[in-house]
Amino acid sequence: SPQGRSKKKSRKHQRFLERQVLLEQKGLLSPRRRQSTQPPVTGPEADAALTKANGTTTQHSGKVPKPKRVMSASLSPSASPDSIARHHSVLLSQGNGSSKVRTSSLVLRPGKYVAIDCEMVGTGPQGRLSELARCSVVNYEGDVIYDKYVQPELPIVDFRTRWSGITKQHMKRAIPFKAAQAEILKILKDKIVVGHAIHNDFQALKYFHPKDRTRDTSQIPMLKQRAGLPIKANVSLKNLARHLLHKRIQVGCKGHSSVEDAQTAMELYRLVEVQWEKELARSLPPRSPSPVTDPTADSSQYLDDQYWPTDLISSSL
């Protein structure tokens, strides 16, 4: 009957209140204002209530156990770039820093990271205009998740095969630029994108990626320092790979491989990932609420950088 259900609910609520009072007395729960006028239950009756609620017998002692601080092992799907960077910083500040290097990226969801590289051909007057002809995207582990040839919007004047590796044969299976652009941007959405001189790739895609979600390996001083190269020097991906990864890329006369270049950029990023993200976290202003669990973060606030610097736009690709 309705009266019976109400009575049962009231008893359950009473047990809840009794347990709440006991936890507050033991320091395990912060006191809260309650509208209930019933006096708090203390002493053996409260202990009995807690024992009954748990279904087990508890041993009582003079010491009150301290609550353990539990750090969330994952970020919300909507975590912002500064939340990710600050999470890196939190991980580095806990325990032995060396033990966190291997696991920090796994905690930060490596699925949020991709690396990109594009190859361009010449169109327009004398082939001076650069247009996208191939785009490759790899994941955090270097596995290829996208690699397609793209038909430029204008007729190709110069294939630039020596550098691009693109030939007339490749264009037979190329897809239209608009189709490729839609597919690629869908992959890049809400991702942290790694690349070398990545503004060239974004310009070829006619796209602007949020600055806070971009990691350009040509702009990392610590990579140049590790390689023993001047910090202000423009260092190629080829040289960084040779000095730091001990691998040779972009060799021969058949041109570059956009897959290989994207994989190399990701390898370089992972080489200094923890240190780089820590530096980014330091440079960010204080933010509230907690950076580890910030479900209200909205990526739309990072879309302010809408215009490229003039020197980048005018530079040749």
Side-chain angles (χ1 to χ4, degrees), residues 91-92 94-107 274:
L91 291 173
L92 288 169
Q94 295 177 347
N96 183 2
S98 61
S99 66
K100 297 293 181 181
V101 172
R102 184 176 295 273
T103 60
S104 62
S105 294
L106 298 177
V107 174
V274 175

Side-chain angles (χ1 to χ4, degrees), residues 50-57:
L50 179 62
T51 303
K52 184 177 180 181
N54 290 336
T56 57
T57 303

